[in-house]
């Protein structure tokens, strides 16, 4: 068992429960006499120092009676909880151990029972047996059984899919032994939480039965029957009703707090949620220009207006809330009609760069830049949303999760046109069909009326591309558009992108971890490493193997080529540094075969070499272009 | 290719028939399960032997079990649920006069619960996105667990004390006026509102982190459209799958609350029937409330089918 993680609700709940238990034990001795003492000279009194909860119509002290009623109330609730949990666990286990057909039917029956109000179920049992303490306990216990049984089967089913259970099953362990040795021990903890919840439910329901007059019968009394009696005279004096109400609320809160506390203790991560993308994300390095080297694309400069093109980025950083830079001072431009690829390992910051350009960073991440001009909009300001929606088209990585499952494909494709373009539903649909045809989606008239789950993966990604092109965007950002697809579909999707570029002249920024994908359709390639641009080169240089940066060369060496029948693939030794542990020098230095002292000490700046650029110290001591 | 709705309706009708069979068998067995001699119990401990025999004959308890069951089933199918022992009234008439009040209370509460909990849970989830406004999150969790821990009958008592006794604003019992409905509906709704709002808050957080929400943000939609058109249907799927049970169990809450507010519905009637051992009435009410619960479940599934077509085929809640 893990150590209990104490938290405020848990401590509060346990303390209150302990106090209630103590009261239940000592109450008959301490308050027993007072609870029965009638005083006709002091009937229907309000709360006072002498009578904390006032007096009832016989002048009896309501506080004393409430305290005395604690014992029967708690005992009955505890007994009902035992029946519910034991019965539920047995029923759930039996259903689970039985064959698949019995299990199916059993679960259906439990579902029906659960959907039936348990109070009514308890009332029926109370009607069959004589009303009284035992009847109430049995009634509430049985009425809570189905919920317990279902949770047991659910928990058992979730444990049963784990590896060690399948292994045991393969080894021929029978279902009974499986249940006893593997399943029950693993669901003990959630069942414990459940029992504390069941106790609260039982207490509420039992008291409810007594309120209705079909629970504990006079002369015995619990909180519920006190409440019912108090309710009768509430206009004369509210205290006989309020007193037991306070007790019921305190007990209910104690149970609720224990439930909340146990749940929080079992799942401490739930309170501090960090976006998943952030956790996965990237590495970084800071920028410092090397004296003497000709600096290129400096982050603090601004691209002159006539050279801006479709994308002009200067000194773009993506920063976490704690100041960690996941993308660190990246600068580049994309010209009109160009296809520019961004490659790098996962965590290199390439997708974050793309999302910063699309203004779609996850919650908790923020983009900083000296210049961030995309599709004619200054993203550092507040560009009008309808223009932004139309001018930037985006193709996401996973077509299965990027379409809204509850909306028809057509409405999703045409939403920007309809909402921001004021195009009518019919005209928008016609254009969607047209665009889907261009994207080679079969039977487009049918597809727009279907839901995403009715389309195949490749078809969904083609529809996504059609969706992005529907508004004739100035820039198409494709974030790993082929990663989630079958190899056979990948080439098809790349061809579509290329076609859109030649047909409509749309500018494309293609993000990929696959250097093969990038070299297939791009004009120019940016290689990212640890949140920075390591190299920028033309696709001709890339294909010819004319890479300058040692990282790019290592990447190429690690990629198989179809044209080469033999040849060793060289994996890159080591791993990229975590953002928090980035070195003061070149981030690639620890893995670089050429690294010298200067690489560890100083960060290299991007230097122009031929038609490209690279950030590497080795270029200053090595003749350019020599392989 | 047939419409998925056709198969949905067929499947649900089969399910409803199943529930009906369970209910009929259950209410029939109810009388059989009474320990000792049911006739003696119904006639009372001091009844003469002739009286007991008479009761046995009117109840048909002298017949073979199977005959009793077919008689009982035949009666139900022709809407004849027998007569009340206590008043002699036909049970079907009792139910006809009482059901509208219970249905009114239950459906008003369900509508109120949904109208409050869904926007509230969504608003909290949106406001606390990415760990912002920790205080609001804690206040929400604290308030919902506090009010959620208070049983509906205690709420009823407190509401009567505050609004009827102390302020004299609203009636504490009966169903004569519309204002008489306010307190019972409030008492029934508070608990389910708390539970459901917490579920909605959790599910909204999950939905907001989905890829398709980023796609929708990429279309630069206004927040209202983003949350109602894109997030709401998705979180309704998971919320209602979990919360449908809460809505059905809300019927149980109405039974107790009816009693507290002296509301002339099925709840108050079944209590008096249990006290006077009026078995035909008990059987009838149990049958009708059970059907009502099944209808609520069906409505929930229809809403699910409308918001998310995937649930029609029974593959609900995949994300």
């Amino acid at each position: 068992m893990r150590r209990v993680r104490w938290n405020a609700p848990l401590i509060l709940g346990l303390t209150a429960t302990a106090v209630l238990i103590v009261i239940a034990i000592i109450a008959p001795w301490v308050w027993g006499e007072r609870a029965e003492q009638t005083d006709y000279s002091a009937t229907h009194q309000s709360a006072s120092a002498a009578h904390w909860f006032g007096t009832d119509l016989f002048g009896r002290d309501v506080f004393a009676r409430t305290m005395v009623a604690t014992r029967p109330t708690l005992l009955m609730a505890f007994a009902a909880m035992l029946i519910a949990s034991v019965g539920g666990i047995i029923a759930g286990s039996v259903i689970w151990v039985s064959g698949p057909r019995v299990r199916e039917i059993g679960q259906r029956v439990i579902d029906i029972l659960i959907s039936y109000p348990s109070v009514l179920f308890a009332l029926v049992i109370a009607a069959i047996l004589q009303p009284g303490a035992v009847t109430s306990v049995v009634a509430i216990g049985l009425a809570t059984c189905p919920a317990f049984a279902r949770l047991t089967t659910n928990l058992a089913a979730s444990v049963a899919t784990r590896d060690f259970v399948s292994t045991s099953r393969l080894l021929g362990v029978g279902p009974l032994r499986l249940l006893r040795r593997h399943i029950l021990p693993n669901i003990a903890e959630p069942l414990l939480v459940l029992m504390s919840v069941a106790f609260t439910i039982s207490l509420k329901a039992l008291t409810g039965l007594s309120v209705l007059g079909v629970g504990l019968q006079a002369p015995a009394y619990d909180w519920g029957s006190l409440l019912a009696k108090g309710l009768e005279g509430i206009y004369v004096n509210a205290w006989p009703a309020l007193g037991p109400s306070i007790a019921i609320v305190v007990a209910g809160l104690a149970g609720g707090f224990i439930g909340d506390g146990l749940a929080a203790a079992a799942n401490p991560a739930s309170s501090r949620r960090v976006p998943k993308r952030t956790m996965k994300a990237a590495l970084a390095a800071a920028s410092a220009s090397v004296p003497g080297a000709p600096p290129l694309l400096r982050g603090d400069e601004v691209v002159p207006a006539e050279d801006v093109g479709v994308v002009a980025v200067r000194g773009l950083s993506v920063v976490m809330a704690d100041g960690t830079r996941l993308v660190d001072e990246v600068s580049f431009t994309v010209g009109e009609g160009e296809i520019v690829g961004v490659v790098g390992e996962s965590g290199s910051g390439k997708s974050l760069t793309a999302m910063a350009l699309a203004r779609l960073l996850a919650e908790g991440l923020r983009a900083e830049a000296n210049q961030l001009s995309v599709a004619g909009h200054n993203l550092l300001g507040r560009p009008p949303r309808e223009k932004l929606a139309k001018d930037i088209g985006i193709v996401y990585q996973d077509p299965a999760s990027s379409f809204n499952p509850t909306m028809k494909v057509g409405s999703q494709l045409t939403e920007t046109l309809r909402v921001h373009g004021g195009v009518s539903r019919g005209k928008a649909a016609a254009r969607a069909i047209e665009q889907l045809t261009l994207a080679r989606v079969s039977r487009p008239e049918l597809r727009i009326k279907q839901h995403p789950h009715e389309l195949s993966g490749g078809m969904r990604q083609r529809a996504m591309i059609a969706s992005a092109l529907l508004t004739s965007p100035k820039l198409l950002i494709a974030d790993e558009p082929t990663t989630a697809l079958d190899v056979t579909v990948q080439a098809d999707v790349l061809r579509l992108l290329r076609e859109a570029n030649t047909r409509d002249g749309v500018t494309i920024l293609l993000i990929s971890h696959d250097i093969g994908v990038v070299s297939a359709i791009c004009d120019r390639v940016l290689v990212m490493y640890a949140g920075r641009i390591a190299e920028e080169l033309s696709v001709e240089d890339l294909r010819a193997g004319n890479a300058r940066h040692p990282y790019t060369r290592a990447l190429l060496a690690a990629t198989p080529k179809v044209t080469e029948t033999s040849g060793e693939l060289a994996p890159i030794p080591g791993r990229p540094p975590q953002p928090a542990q980035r070195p003061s020098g070149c981030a690639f230095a620890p893995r670089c075969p050429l690294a010298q002292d200067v690489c560890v000490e100083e960060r290299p700046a991007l230097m122009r070499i031929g038609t490209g650029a690279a950030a590497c110290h080795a270029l200053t001591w090595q003749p350019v272009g020599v392989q | 290719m047939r419409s998925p709705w056709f198969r949905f309706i067929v499947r649900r009708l089969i399910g409803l028939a199943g529930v009906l069979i369970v209910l009929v068998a259950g209410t029939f067995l109810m009388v059989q399960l009474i320990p000792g001699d049911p006739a003696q119990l119904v006639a009372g401990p001091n009844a003469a032997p002739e009286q007991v025999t008479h009761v046995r004959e009117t109840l048909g308890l002298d017949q073979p079990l199977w005959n009793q069951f077919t008689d009982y089933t035949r009666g139900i199918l022709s809407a004849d649920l027998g007569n009340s022992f206590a008043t002699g009234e036909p049970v079907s008439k009792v139910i006809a006069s009482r059901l509208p009040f219970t249905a009114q209370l239950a459906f008003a509460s369900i509508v109120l619960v949904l109208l409050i909990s869904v926007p509230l849970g969504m608003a909290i989830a949106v406001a606390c996105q990415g760990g912002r406004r920790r205080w609001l999150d804690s206040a929400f969790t604290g308030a919902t667990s506090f009010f959620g821990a208070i049983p509906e009958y205690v709420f009823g008592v407190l509401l009567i004390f505050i609004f009827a006794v102390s302020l004299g604003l609203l009636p504490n019992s009966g169903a004569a006026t519309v204002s008489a409905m306010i307190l019972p509906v409030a008492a029934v709704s508070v608990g389910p509102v708390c539970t459901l709002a917490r579920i909605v808050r959790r599910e909204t957080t999950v939905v907001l982190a989905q890829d398709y929400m980023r796609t929708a943000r990429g279309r630069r939609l206004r927040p209202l459209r983003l949350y109602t058109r894109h997030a709401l249907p998705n979180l309704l799927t998971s919320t209602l799958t979990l919360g449908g049970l809460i809505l059905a169990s809300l019927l149980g809450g109405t039974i107790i609350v009816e009693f507290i507010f002296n509301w002339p519905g099925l709840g108050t009637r079944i209590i008096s029937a249990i006290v006077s051992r009026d078995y035909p009435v008990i059987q009838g009410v149990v049958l009708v409330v059970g059907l009502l619960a099944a209808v609520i479940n069906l409505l929930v599934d229809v809403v699910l089918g409308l918001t998310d077509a995937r649930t029609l085929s029974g593959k609900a809640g995949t994300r």
Side-chain angles (χ1 to χ4, degrees):
Chain A
M1 269 265 183
R2 279 181 284 121
R3 215 166 58 83
V4 180
R5 274 177 283 262
W6 293 101
N7 52 46
L10 191 58
I11 293 170
L12 211 62
L14 285 175
T15 312
T17 309
V19 170
L20 284 173
I21 291 173
V22 169
I23 290 174
I25 294 169
I26 64 168
W29 295 302
V30 179
W31 293 286
E33 210 173 306
R34 244 186 122 185
E36 299 304 326
Q37 205 172 35
T38 52
D39 178 1
Y40 291 98
S41 64
T43 61
H44 284 316
Q45 287 193 349
S46 283
S48 65
H51 304 286
W52 289 359
F53 287 173
T55 59
D56 66 3
L57 80 161
F58 299 114
R60 292 179 296 202
D61 185 77
V62 176
F63 180 75
R65 289 178 75 74
T66 306
M67 293 298 113
V68 171
T70 308
R71 188 189 278 186
T73 309
L74 292 191
L75 275 181
M76 280 161 60
F78 186 74
M81 182 267 281
L82 276 187
I83 293 180
S85 44
V86 172
I89 291 171
I90 289 175
S93 305
V94 166
I95 288 170
W96 193 83
V97 171
S98 323
R101 192 159 302 159
V102 179
R103 196 181 303 170
E104 176 88 1
I105 295 171
Q107 276 169 343
R108 280 265 174 282
V109 171
I110 287 179
D111 280 349
I112 292 176
L113 288 177
I114 285 178
S115 70
Y116 202 77
S118 59
V119 174
L120 201 65
F121 195 71
L123 281 177
V124 170
I125 295 170
I128 296 172
L129 310 168
Q130 296 280 356
V134 176
T135 304
S136 304
V137 166
V138 171
I140 298 298
L142 288 181
T144 322
C145 261
F148 232 104
R150 176 151 88 175
L151 284 158
T152 308
T153 51
N154 283 358
L155 287 170
S158 75
V159 173
T161 54
R162 289 193 209 155
D163 286 347
F164 66 88
V165 177
S166 357
T167 313
S168 312
R169 194 176 282 152
L170 280 177
L171 292 171
V173 178
L176 257 181
R177 189 180 158 79
L178 207 61
L179 185 80
R180 196 166 47 84
R181 298 277 303 154
H182 296 284
I183 313 268
L184 284 183
N186 276 294
I187 62 176
E189 211 176 311
L191 280 179
L192 212 63
V193 178
L194 215 63
M195 279 165 80
S196 84
V197 177
F199 180 77
T200 319
I201 294 173
S202 304
L203 189 112
K204 266 189 183 180
L206 273 167
T207 314
L209 277 190
S210 291
V211 170
L212 294 173
V214 291
L216 198 58
Q217 299 296 304
Y221 57 91
D222 61 356
W223 290 340
S225 44
L226 282 180
L227 181 63
K229 280 273 169 282
L231 190 61
E232 287 169 12
I234 194 165
Y235 270 94
V236 186
N237 180 15
W239 277 102
L242 293 182
S245 293
I246 292 169
I248 295 167
V249 170
V250 169
L253 283 179
F257 277 138
I258 291 179
D260 282 359
L262 283 177
N267 186 15
S270 65
S271 53
R272 46 187 165 83
R273 219 173 252 117
V274 183
K276 211 172 155 198
R277 276 166 216 295
T278 320
M279 314 265 273
K280 261 168 53 178
L283 324 159
S287 122
S289 50
V290 185
L296 174 94
L297 305 175
R298 269 179 46 197
D300 50 358
E301 283 173 349
V302 168
V303 179
E306 64 270 19
D307 298 335
V308 160
V310 178
V311 176
V313 175
R314 284 293 166 270
L316 168 71
S317 298
V318 174
V319 190
M320 281 169 67
D322 65 3
T324 311
R325 288 182 166 196
L326 302 176
V327 172
D328 193 1
E329 305 232 344
V330 162
S331 301
F332 62 95
T333 55
V334 179
E336 188 111 32
E338 251 192 318
I339 304 183
V340 172
V342 182
V343 279
E345 291 167 85
S346 75
S348 62
K350 57 189 190 306
S351 277
L352 284 175
T353 304
M355 285 303 120
L357 258 56
R359 238 196 187 193
L360 286 176
L361 283 175
E363 200 65 47
L365 294 181
R366 147 177 75 85
E368 290 172 356
N370 295 317
Q371 185 177 17
L372 194 55
S373 167
V374 180
H377 302 290
N378 175 18
L379 293 195
L380 298 175
R382 287 178 144 262
R385 60 171 78 223
E386 53 280 354
K387 291 244 175 71
L388 216 52
K390 278 188 273 183
D391 290 344
I392 304 176
I394 307 158
V395 177
Y396 301 90
Q397 175 169 349
D398 186 357
S401 61
S402 296
F403 272 110
N404 192 322
T406 59
M407 290 170 77
K408 285 182 181 163
V409 172
S411 340
Q412 303 193 49
L413 256 58
T414 59
E415 192 170 26
T416 311
L417 277 184
R418 286 181 291 116
V419 174
H420 296 307
V423 181
S424 77
R425 195 164 268 277
K427 275 191 188 150
R431 281 177 62 181
I433 291 172
E434 193 184 308
Q435 202 55 250
L436 284 171
T437 314
L438 286 176
R440 289 192 291 281
V441 172
S442 62
R443 304 176 68 191
E445 327 64 41
L446 170 70
R447 301 302 170 210
I448 61 167
K449 294 196 190 83
Q450 285 180 319
H451 282 91
H453 69 273
E454 295 170 274
L455 272 59
S456 72
M459 205 184 278
R460 275 194 288 248
Q461 193 63 308
R462 286 196 290 261
M464 181 68 84
I465 292 172
S467 170
L469 292 174
L470 203 48
T471 55
S472 316
K474 292 181 184 151
L475 174 69
L476 183 75
I477 297 174
D479 182 11
E480 303 253 13
T482 58
T483 308
L485 303 176
D486 285 348
V487 181
T488 45
V489 191
Q490 282 184 9
D492 199 30
V493 165
L494 290 178
R495 201 175 311 130
L496 274 182
L497 291 174
R498 179 99 240 176
E499 275 172 17
N501 175 259
T502 37
R503 186 181 61 229
D504 311 328
V506 61
T507 310
I508 299 176
L509 187 71
L510 175 72
I511 315 298
S512 181
H513 67 276
D514 188 341
I515 214 161
V517 163
V518 164
S519 61
I521 72 160
C522 292
D523 302 320
R524 198 149 54 88
V525 177
L526 303 170
V527 181
M528 284 189 75
Y529 185 79
R532 301 191 75 200
I533 293 179
E535 180 162 12
E536 179 188 329
L537 72 170
S538 71
V539 80
E540 290 79 18
D541 281 345
L542 185 72
R543 284 193 197 131
N546 289 335
R548 273 85 177 194
H549 199 285
Y551 175 61
T552 318
R553 278 195 246 156
L555 264 188
L556 283 171
T559 312
K561 284 206 187 83
V562 187
T563 49
E564 285 173 14
T565 42
S566 65
E568 296 272 306
L569 285 181
I572 310 174
R575 299 170 66 185
Q578 295 294 314
Q581 291 134 24
R582 36 190 187 189
S584 56
C586 174
F588 188 62
R591 303 168 77 184
C592 183
L594 307 175
Q596 298 192 3
D597 289 349
V598 63
C599 300
V600 183
E601 287 153 14
E602 274 176 37
R603 301 218 166 153
L606 266 182
M607 289 181 294
R608 188 181 297 283
I609 301 145
T611 55
C616 179
H617 288 304
L619 296 172
T620 56
W621 69 71
Q622 211 181 16
V624 166
V626 171
Q627 297 299 303
Chain B
M1 206 171 86
R2 275 212 205 95
S3 155
W5 279 101
F6 176 80
R7 283 164 58 187
F8 170 77
I9 289 166
V10 168
R11 235 196 23 246
R12 293 309 311 222
L13 282 179
I14 294 172
L16 211 56
V19 172
L20 197 62
I21 291 169
V22 170
L23 280 173
V24 170
T27 49
F28 173 74
L29 281 176
M30 197 181 99
V31 177
Q32 306 298 327
L33 286 174
I34 297 170
D37 182 1
Q40 178 75 56
L41 206 71
V42 169
N46 306 319
E50 302 85 62
Q51 269 178 299
V52 177
T53 319
H54 177 71
V55 168
R56 187 170 293 128
E57 276 164 15
T58 31
L59 280 177
L61 290 172
D62 50 345
Q63 302 280 321
L65 201 62
W66 180 248
N67 286 9
Q68 288 186 44
F69 185 67
T70 49
D71 279 353
Y72 179 68
T73 315
R74 203 172 300 134
I76 288 172
L77 289 177
S78 56
D80 175 14
L81 298 165
N83 297 332
S84 160
F85 291 164
T87 62
E89 255 185 308
V91 173
S92 50
K93 226 175 126 187
V94 172
I95 285 167
S97 68
R98 296 281 184 151
L99 178 61
F101 289 101
T102 296
Q104 201 183 343
L105 192 58
F107 282 98
S109 304
I110 287 173
V111 170
L112 187 74
V113 166
L114 289 177
L115 282 184
I116 295 177
S117 58
V118 174
L120 178 68
M122 281 181 77
I124 298 287
V126 169
C128 301
Q129 250 184 103
R132 280 181 294 145
R133 296 197 185 84
R134 240 348 112 63
W135 62 270
L136 182 65
D137 203 11
S138 316
F140 172 75
T141 312
T144 46
S145 59
F146 181 83
F147 288 110
I150 301 177
E152 57 280 88
Y153 46 86
V154 171
F155 248 114
V157 170
L158 292 179
L159 289 175
I160 288 177
F161 174 65
I162 296 169
F163 291 98
V165 177
S166 303
L167 301 175
L169 282 177
L170 295 165
N172 74 325
S173 68
T177 55
V178 179
S179 62
M181 230 174 115
I182 296 176
L183 293 186
V185 168
V188 172
S189 306
V190 173
V193 162
C194 291
T195 321
L196 209 55
R198 289 178 82 157
I199 295 177
V200 171
R201 186 237 180 285
R202 203 182 54 217
E203 292 303 320
T204 307
T205 310
V206 172
V207 166
L208 288 181
Q210 299 294 307
D211 283 350
Y212 55 75
M213 288 308 293
R214 185 181 58 179
T215 311
R217 277 197 293 274
R219 293 192 195 115
R220 323 291 164 180
L221 304 170
R222 285 179 197 288
L224 186 68
R225 189 181 172 88
L226 191 69
Y227 295 128
T228 54
R229 190 82 178 79
H230 288 264
L232 185 63
N234 285 291
L235 66 97
L236 271 188
T237 310
S238 39
T239 300
L240 285 184
T241 316
L242 295 165
L245 291 175
I246 295 171
L247 296 182
S249 72
L250 181 145
L251 266 182
T254 64
I255 293 177
I256 303 188
V257 167
E258 275 185 18
F259 179 82
I260 301 251
F261 288 91
N262 203 12
W263 184 262
L266 293 168
T268 41
R269 192 66 186 85
I270 195 175
I271 301 303
S272 61
I274 288 171
V275 171
S276 62
R277 317 212 132 248
D278 194 347
Y279 286 105
V281 174
I282 299 175
Q283 285 176 319
V285 174
V286 167
L287 262 178
V288 169
V289 175
L291 274 182
L292 210 55
V295 167
I296 292 175
N297 281 329
L298 185 66
L299 285 180
V300 167
D301 286 343
V302 169
V303 173
L304 276 175
L306 286 173
T307 53
D308 188 347
R310 287 173 308 171
T311 62
L312 288 179
S313 50
K315 290 177 282 187
T318 47
R319 28 170 204 251

